[in-house]
Amino acid sequence: MKCFWIVLLLPMFVFSSPKQAKKIDSTSYYIQLAKYNKKVNNYKFSLVFNQKAFNYAKENNDIEGKAKSCFLFGTTYYDLKKITDAIDSFTKSSLFYSLLRPSTDLALSYYYIGLCYMETEEFSKAEIYFDKSKRIYNSIKIDASETLNLQKAILYKTKGQIDLATNLFNEIISKPDVEDVFKTKVEALYQLGTIEEKHNRSNLALNYLNRALVLSEKDKNLEQKSKILLELSLNYDKLLNLKKSHFYLKEHLNLKDSLADLYKQKLGATDYSEFKESERMRTIAQMSKEKEAQEKTNKFAKLISILAIALISILSLLSLSLYKNNIIRNRSNILLKEKFNELQIAKDKVEKASQARAEFLSTVSHELRTPLNAINGITHLLLEENPKQTQMNYLNSLKFSGNYLLTFINEILEINRIESSNIEIEYISFSIKQLLGDIHSSLKELATKNNNQFVMEIDEKIPETLLGDPTKLSQIFINLINNALKFTQNGEVKVITKLLKKEDETATIHFEITDTGIGIPEEKLESVFDSFSQGSIEINRKYGGTGLGLTIVKKLVDLLGGDIKLYSKVGFGSTFMFDLDLSISSNEILIEKPKLYSSNTLKDKKVLIVEDNKINQMITKKMVENKGMVCEIIDNGEDAITALKNNNTFDLVLMDVHLPGINGTIATKEIRKFNKKIPIIALTAISLNENREMLLSFGMTDVITKPFEPENFYIIMAKNLLDS
């Protein structure tokens, strides 16, 4: 007690010296005093010191100080069951914290507002603030699911969604009995007990409630213990065990009386009303001062205004014409500024929406690759195991569907890469004649299937070697020609290239793809290049397709500096045309040799597979073992580092990029500190923000993209084993 009064009297001595006061008289100091008094149940002084903290923060425009002070007010009012005041304080705290960087303090403010609304049984409002709290925790990458799941389960219970509530409660009580989990476990057991009680399963209810009572002794939450004792009494009463029912009821009443005494100790009967009244009077006094200051300002402003009007009147007589011109110019400037601001706001909104869409589509396409890897991998393994003839059709259909879905995902990712400026134009030597000839050969079978004539007309004047990006040109031609062949039957598809002009070292070439197919309705000509757009629903059902091919074509042509145009008439076909300026190259064209590998290169080699997904583990292991390789599986980066440090017999590492704990890139970086030679191949469902160069920069020797094509998978492994 002696120490307590020393703490209370300390400010009187400290503030006697002006030099010391400047150091001590601060928001954090008053908050420390408020917290100490709250801890020793002297809530009256806690409120007084916290008010001083808020006033000091307000005078110094300390936003964080005001936020902390309001939060402490909120927890104090919440402890005292002044729920309305608590909501008001937590709301102010959240507003102040929202002006700062996202933090656990902001998340806690939202969480406590939710708890307050739970107390007032306004469950829909409570759910809104719990969701806000969860979003903040997720944004700062902190796992608060334990506490939030408890409140979510209680909300499910109030809505009558008992199964959902029970599942979450059971998940909470299954956690180990550690100190941080006591409160949530006690409440979850109590809630399960009340659920069982409502279903007239008193024995089960007693089991949960007795477990809750035992844990509540560790938690030392007397209010919670009081609730549990009351429920135990009610359940024993239902079982006609009046002795135990009376015992627990008596314990409940004794504890309730103790709590009432405790509240009286925390804050006297008139202390709270006196504090609120003093706060109100202080606010009135502050407003009075501000009003007086405002009146003085207004008088001074009025005097200044009179003098200014007189001066303006004199000047206006001398320079009326100039005055009018200035007014007109100022109005025009203001109008232009307003319009500019409106355009800037609209631009920001569009950019944010576009970014959100790109990130969403990238995430979806990225996440689909993992299950798709399982589908394609298992299909490949089943086809290799000599299935029955009756099963071949099913497996081939599954393989086709998987490849179709992979094409769709790749197209989404390609669009996002282009829109996010995450794609670069290559400048390498190539032959347009060879490029179109290869495309003609690859699509000849599709032309034959629809009984179409597939004609190439290439201008002989086009230089043999050009400098540009043949990969993107191939994407453009394949998409356009594939569409033309698909939507044409018993007709003709023609690809025309013409040299328009040749100046210095630049050739301007005209490209044209014409078909005699179904054509495109006039009202669809403007939207046909939009994402997921096709001529009609009927066309989509009949011919299939994702509606992304022309979007990619449009964006790639724009990227290469061209402008694609479309002419079409229903029943007569379509023509796509564009012009490109390509540099003339004198370099020799490098013909890439086909990638081959020998099974002997892979046989008996020892491979370490670092993969956390069980299905991917099984598929990769089976594919590796099918080539006579020996493998070991590890599901996290830490163990992979240890395994390679203690065992140098591995010939190759297949490293998944996304792993629990440290990811594959960091694991590779650590491995390279003690092993520079072993090939480490990245396995990744590559996303918008990942690329081959980024992965190689961490020390990986090659990259295999999920879902991987089996033959390419073996080729890359063999190449890296030969190079090591």
Side-chain angles (χ1 to χ4, degrees), residues 451-723:
N451 195 27
N452 290 321
Q453 292 185 14
F454 185 15
V455 181
M456 291 272 187
E457 293 183 3
I458 302 175
D459 191 344
E460 293 296 329
K461 297 176 185 176
I462 296 174
E464 285 296 324
T465 309
L466 297 168
L467 193 65
D469 195 326
T471 303
K472 292 177 181 59
L473 274 173
S474 295
Q475 283 181 272
I476 293 168
F477 289 127
I478 288 171
N479 272 307
L480 290 175
I481 298 169
N482 190 59
N483 274 356
L485 292 171
K486 183 169 68 171
F487 293 116
T488 304
Q489 292 185 349
N490 304 315
E492 182 183 62
V493 174
K494 187 181 291 185
V495 180
I496 301 169
T497 60
K498 290 181 182 178
L499 179 65
L500 296 181
K501 60 180 179 180
K502 183 179 175 184
E503 294 180 354
D504 299 328
E505 297 300 317
T506 302
T508 303
I509 303 175
H510 174 77
F511 299 98
E512 192 172 308
I513 294 88
T514 303
D515 66 66
T516 58
I518 62 174
I520 300 169
E522 186 175 351
E523 65 272 12
K524 293 287 183 179
L525 291 177
E526 291 186 6
S527 63
V528 75
F529 291 106
D530 295 340
S531 300
F532 305 103
S533 174
Q534 290 191 333
S536 67
I537 296 173
E538 292 75 15
I539 289 172
N540 177 263
R541 289 174 178 169
K542 182 176 180 180
Y543 295 95
T546 63
L548 294 173
L550 289 181
T551 307
I552 293 173
V553 167
K554 168 72 173 167
K555 292 181 183 298
L556 287 177
V557 170
D558 291 344
L559 197 66
L560 295 176
D563 181 23
I564 191 163
K565 296 178 181 178
L566 165 63
Y567 300 96
S568 184
K569 189 174 181 181
V570 175
F572 291 90
S574 305
T575 298
F576 292 85
M577 59 182 69
F578 59 94
D579 300 338
L580 290 179
D581 292 332
L582 297 171
S583 298
I584 301 170
S585 174
S586 58
N587 296 333
E588 183 181 351
I589 299 174
L590 298 175
I591 301 173
E592 189 176 349
K593 296 180 181 179
K595 297 177 181 178
L596 300 173
Y597 75 95
S598 170
S599 296
N600 292 331
T601 307
L602 305 177
K603 192 174 181 181
D604 297 328
K605 293 294 189 291
K606 190 172 181 183
V607 180
L608 177 63
I609 299 172
V610 188
E611 169 68 70
D612 64 311
N613 185 286
K614 299 297 181 184
I615 298 176
N616 285 343
Q617 287 178 0
M618 179 268 290
I619 293 168
T620 310
K621 182 174 185 283
K622 185 68 176 175
M623 290 181 70
V624 165
E625 289 178 343
N626 280 353
K627 294 298 179 182
M629 304 176 83
V630 180
C631 75
E632 182 177 326
I633 296 174
I634 289 176
D635 63 2
N636 63 84
E638 291 88 343
D639 290 347
I641 295 168
T642 304
L644 287 166
K645 189 176 287 186
N646 299 333
N647 185 353
N648 60 0
T649 61
F650 290 107
D651 299 297
L652 180 73
V653 179
L654 296 175
M655 178 76 73
D656 183 34
V657 172
H658 300 283
L659 293 169
I662 64 171
N663 60 30
T665 54
I666 302 303
T668 301
K669 196 173 182 180
E670 291 299 315
I671 292 166
R672 287 306 182 209
K673 291 179 180 179
F674 59 85
N675 191 328
K676 306 284 186 183
K677 294 184 178 180
I678 188 168
I680 302 176
I681 300 175
L683 300 179
T684 177
I686 202 160
S687 69
L688 184 66
N689 297 320
E690 293 178 352
N691 56 56
R692 178 183 175 86
E693 289 70 27
M694 184 271 285
L695 295 173
L696 295 180
S697 70
F698 284 92
M700 292 172 169
T701 49
D702 219 323
V703 179
I704 298 176
T705 304
K706 296 178 185 176
F708 41 76
E709 195 274 318
E711 198 64 20
N712 188 52
F713 176 69
Y714 295 131
I715 288 171
I716 291 175
M717 283 201 298
K719 175 181 175 297
N720 280 273
L721 285 168
L722 289 171
D723 292 344

Side-chain angles (χ1 to χ4, degrees), residues 119-340:
E119 290 282 341
T120 60
E121 298 186 357
E122 295 177 84
F123 300 114
S124 59
K125 289 184 179 179
E127 189 169 11
I128 290 169
Y129 282 97
F130 288 141
D131 287 341
K132 284 186 176 183
S133 177
K134 184 178 180 181
R135 284 197 294 272
I136 297 299
Y137 277 125
N138 289 342
S139 70
I140 57 179
K141 298 181 180 178
I142 290 180
D143 182 11
S145 58
E146 199 73 47
T147 306
L148 289 171
N149 280 347
L150 174 64
Q151 302 305 329
K152 193 174 183 181
I154 295 172
L155 286 169
Y156 281 144
K157 180 187 169 190
T158 60
K159 292 178 181 178
Q161 297 172 310
I162 302 302
D163 290 340
L164 291 174
T166 302
N167 288 338
L168 281 176
F169 286 137
N170 282 322
E171 185 180 323
I172 292 168
I173 66 173
S174 65
K175 301 291 183 181
D177 286 344
V178 294
E179 185 177 349
D180 293 341
V181 186
F182 283 153
K183 283 188 179 181
T184 53
K185 285 191 72 171
V186 172
E187 183 63 24
L189 287 165
Y190 168 75
Q191 293 290 344
L192 283 169
T194 59
I195 290 171
E196 297 300 338
E197 180 190 354
K198 284 185 179 179
H199 288 83
N200 294 319
R201 294 192 286 262
S202 294
N203 285 325
L204 274 174
L206 287 170
N207 179 34
Y208 286 124
L209 291 169
N210 278 312
R211 288 168 63 190
L213 184 62
V214 172
L215 276 179
S216 69
E217 295 294 339
K218 297 179 181 179
D219 184 33
K220 296 180 181 177
N221 187 330
L222 300 182
E223 288 187 11
Q224 199 170 42
K225 184 177 179 181
S226 175
K227 291 194 304 182
I228 296 166
L229 290 169
L230 181 59
E231 286 299 322
L232 282 168
S233 174
L234 292 173
N235 277 277
Y236 277 118
D237 185 58
K238 284 185 179 181
L239 293 173
L240 301 179
N241 190 338
L242 299 180
K243 183 177 179 181
K244 284 194 174 182
S245 175
H246 291 160
F247 171 75
Y248 285 116
L249 180 60
K250 184 178 178 182
E251 289 286 306
H252 163 71
L253 293 173
N254 289 338
L255 192 54
K256 198 169 183 181
D257 290 340
S258 299
L259 285 169
D261 292 338
L262 184 59
Y263 279 122
K264 289 178 182 178
Q265 292 173 16
K266 287 181 178 180
L267 199 67
T270 60
D271 288 342
Y272 182 74
S273 58
E274 287 175 359
F275 172 75
K276 297 302 286 185
E277 180 62 22
S278 66
E279 187 179 0
R280 188 180 72 84
M281 294 302 295
R282 187 165 41 250
T283 304
I284 292 171
Q286 181 68 24
M287 289 174 65
S288 178
K289 286 182 181 178
E290 290 174 357
K291 185 178 179 181
E292 187 179 339
Q294 186 64 41
E295 286 176 354
K296 289 181 180 179
T297 304
N298 290 342
K299 287 179 181 179
F300 183 72
K302 189 175 181 180
L303 179 60
I304 294 296
S305 298
I306 293 169
L307 293 173
I309 291 169
L311 181 60
I312 291 170
S313 299
I314 295 168
L315 291 173
S316 64
L317 294 172
L318 298 173
S319 56
L320 183 60
S321 177
L322 179 61
Y323 175 71
K324 288 182 177 179
N325 288 338
N326 283 340
I327 290 175
I328 293 169
R329 186 180 64 186
N330 288 338
R331 286 177 179 173
S332 299
N333 288 341
I334 290 169
L335 184 61
L336 285 171
K337 189 174 181 180
E338 288 175 352
K339 293 299 180 184
F340 175 78

